[in-house]
Amino acid sequence: MNQAIAQVTLVVKNYDEAIAFYTQKLGFKLVDDIQLDANKRWVTVSPPSLNGLSLLLAEAANDKQKKAIGNQSGGRVFLFLHTDDFWRDYQRMKEQGVKFNENPREEPYGTVVVFKDLYGNLWDLIERK
């Protein structure tokens, strides 16, 4: 059996502002932007390598979904962005105005820093040892 997790849904306030953040500030690629009906689109973004998991950006459609925006993991780090060059990506993201919660630090598993996406979800940027 060959299986893989292909997408993770990320509830967003607005498709276009989310696309702009992930493509311009994080350097992700827009993989899909398909209109499904008058209010719903199939929007996926992925890190530039395009070799794994992508994010399905889902615009909140009701109050329950709107409450999840920015807090999809209850305040814990939600997503982990691995890189082959921590300092390159950290500097580029900093120059793009990405908000960091701390200074970079060395851990037994690698160099890491916590940052926020445009809605406040927490991410780790990690270069593994």
Side-chain angles (χ1 to χ4, degrees), residues 1-94:
M1 182 182 294
N2 187 9
Q3 297 178 331
I5 295 173
Q7 279 122 3
V8 171
T9 299
L10 184 64
V11 181
V12 300
K13 190 181 300 181
N14 175 274
Y15 288 119
D16 295 321
E17 71 182 10
I19 290 168
F21 177 84
Y22 286 101
T23 60
Q24 295 169 19
K25 302 222 183 252
L26 297 189
F28 283 23
K29 301 286 184 196
L30 178 61
V31 179
D32 297 298
D33 187 355
I34 302 165
Q35 193 74 45
L36 299 176
D37 63 31
N39 299 312
K40 190 173 182 180
R41 290 156 58 183
W42 180 266
V43 177
T44 60
V45 294
S46 178
S49 63
L50 299 174
N51 66 353
L53 186 79
S54 62
L55 293 177
L56 174 64
L57 304 179
E59 193 171 278
N62 58 45
D63 287 339
K64 184 176 181 180
Q65 292 174 12
K66 288 176 184 172
K67 288 179 183 174
I69 295 170
N71 191 29
Q72 295 195 149
S73 64
R76 294 188 59 127
V77 171
F78 177 52
L79 296 164
F80 301 80
L81 181 59
H82 285 206
T83 178
D84 63 351
D85 188 333
F86 178 89
W87 294 105
R88 174 199 65 212
D89 291 345
Y90 172 73
Q91 288 301 329
R92 184 186 52 73
M93 290 166 65
K94 206 169 160 182

Side-chain angles (χ1 to χ4, degrees), residues 86-87 90-91 94 100 102-106 111-114:
F86 178 89
W87 294 105
Y90 172 73
Q91 288 301 329
K94 206 169 160 182
F100 291 91
E102 61 184 5
N103 291 320
R105 66 186 192 280
E106 293 296 324
T111 307
V112 63
V113 67
V114 176

